[in-house]
Amino acid sequence: MRYAIISDVHANMEALTAVLQKIEAEGINRIVCLGDVVGYHADPNECIEVIRERKILCIAGNHDRAATGLKEPIRFGQAGKRAIYWTRGQLTTESKQFLESLPLTALVNDGGFLMVHASLDPEPNEEIYLYSEGQARTNFQRFRALWPETNVCFFGHTHRPMGFEFRDERVEELDPPRIRLRTGASYLINPGSVGQPRDSDPRASFLIFDSDRQLVQFHRVLFDTNACYRKTEQAGLIYQESFLSRSENLVQRWLEVGKRLRKRIRCGRNSWRGAGGTDT
Ligand code: ZN
């Protein structure tokens, strides 16, 4: 069976439409969504309607819960907070009820995978970011304790396509666009964001999981960013990035560059060893 895993649509109808077209062209059997259908952009009801109409299995993200009033957007950034208050005024009764009904996790038995919006540690949640190998380790421990029969968990929230493998008590970060799952290993995999990618590639991101072949393939899709931006601006949701959030983004980008460099050095060293060098 082939599943399309989408996440963090964030009320971006242009991106959702483009992604669904691609999914249709791929002849996918089933679509699931890891939460944050609303927030940031201007089409919350439209996106919810599409998710409901297509009977896409969906779990709750932090923006979904904040938009219904189940929680307050205390830890949200300026843009996120503004969009939550705006969305609260836009949601129809049906949309609100739909968001309120979303669970924090879902287990897809036939595909053998778990869904959570943010992370599993200390408890399954829609708020705590999962970025590092250290965080992945504690998440794998929770995953094994709570769902011992399952070895794949898809998560969202960071808006960055990535994956972690846990094998022989070792955690390794895996890079898109393709991950082949190995027997005896567990996986935490993030499809990236449909509506608001944060990895300096502006295209919508999602993945296809082939449960028979145990293969994950990431995809990027172009969408009409101008139309989306126009609507978001008209709704008053575009904001000037503050100096603080600009600095945070810059720090985050440097951390990622550093991580990639360290990984490249590690790989280079391993291949040198493999070529017959001695390691003393
Ligand atoms: Zn999100």
Side-chain angles (χ1 to χ4, degrees):
M1 184 110 154
R2 290 169 79 220
Y3 298 85
I5 319 278
I6 65 171
S7 189
D8 296 273
V9 172
H10 284 300
N12 183 339
M13 191 60 183
E14 285 72 25
L16 180 60
T17 308
V19 162
L20 290 177
Q21 273 169 5
K22 171 74 177 162
I23 289 171
E24 218 155 89
E26 290 280 336
I28 297 301
N29 311 89
R30 196 168 165 202
I31 309 171
V32 302
C33 174
L34 306 175
D36 273 4
V37 180
V38 302
Y40 293 120
H41 296 293
D43 284 328
N45 291 310
E46 292 78 357
C47 290
I48 290 172
E49 219 172 289
V50 169
I51 301 272
R52 290 179 62 195
E53 247 172 38
R54 295 194 174 223
K55 298 192 169 29
I56 295 173
L57 174 66
C58 189
I59 56 169
N62 53 333
H63 287 254
D64 303 322
R65 284 167 56 82
T68 62
L70 281 171
K71 69 190 293 180
E72 288 306 314
I74 299 163
R75 293 191 200 161
F76 286 40
Q78 195 188 345
K81 211 176 265 182
R82 186 185 299 181
I84 288 301
Y85 295 131
W86 179 87
T87 305
R88 283 180 180 175
Q90 301 293 317
L91 288 181
T92 63
T93 311
E94 295 77 36
S95 294
K96 189 167 180 265
Q97 280 169 355
F98 172 76
L99 294 181
E100 280 168 346
S101 73
L102 299 178
L104 279 177
T105 59
L107 187 64
V108 179
N109 275 320
D110 49 1
F113 63 86
L114 179 74
M115 301 159 57
V116 68
H117 182 65
S119 54
L120 300 171
D121 183 52
E123 293 301 327
N125 66 81
E126 24 68 271
E127 197 151 17
I128 304 172
Y129 288 97
L130 166 48
Y131 277 119
S132 69
E133 290 184 1
Q135 290 167 316
R137 177 175 293 279
T138 55
N139 270 269
F140 278 122
Q141 283 156 356
R142 293 299 289 155
F143 185 26
R144 283 197 172 169
L146 295 170
W147 287 274
E149 308 298 324
T150 314
N151 73 326
V152 190
C153 174
F154 292 105
F155 70 102
H157 197 44
T158 63
H159 297 207
R160 285 182 168 80
M162 68 187 314
F164 294 101
E165 183 187 68
F166 190 49
R167 193 166 179 258
D168 300 329
E169 299 307 310
R170 284 180 54 181
V171 177
E172 195 185 338
E173 190 177 332
L174 308 167
D175 292 322
R178 204 176 161 91
I179 297 175
R180 189 173 285 283
L181 309 189
R182 302 193 281 180
T183 33
S186 299
Y187 294 88
L188 288 161
I189 300 174
N190 191 322
S193 167
V194 169
Q196 198 204 59
R198 291 181 192 159
D199 60 344
S200 53
D201 181 341
R203 294 174 300 167
S205 182
F206 75 101
L207 66 79
I208 292 174
F209 172 49
D210 188 326
S211 60
D212 298 327
R213 295 168 65 206
Q214 290 288 288
L215 191 66
V216 169
Q217 181 77 48
F218 292 78
H219 292 269
R220 301 306 288 242
V221 181
L222 279 170
F223 65 94
D224 190 346
T225 42
N226 286 337
C228 169
Y229 187 88
R230 226 177 297 127
K231 275 195 250 174
T232 309
E233 193 177 34
Q234 274 165 13
L237 300 177
I238 298 285
Y239 78 114
Q240 278 300 317
E241 226 184 352
S242 69
F243 175 72
L244 195 65
S245 59
R246 266 206 313 272
S247 319
E248 272 172 13
N249 284 340
L250 207 64
V251 170
Q252 187 63 44
R253 221 165 285 165
W254 275 110
L255 283 175
E256 276 175 21
V257 169
K259 201 154 84 179
R260 237 169 267 155
L261 271 175
R262 279 201 304 279
K263 201 168 178 187
R264 206 167 288 172
I265 290 166
R266 220 161 49 207
C267 290
R269 208 185 288 150
N270 285 344
S271 61
W272 176 70
R273 268 186 217 157
T278 49
D279 186 29
T280 50

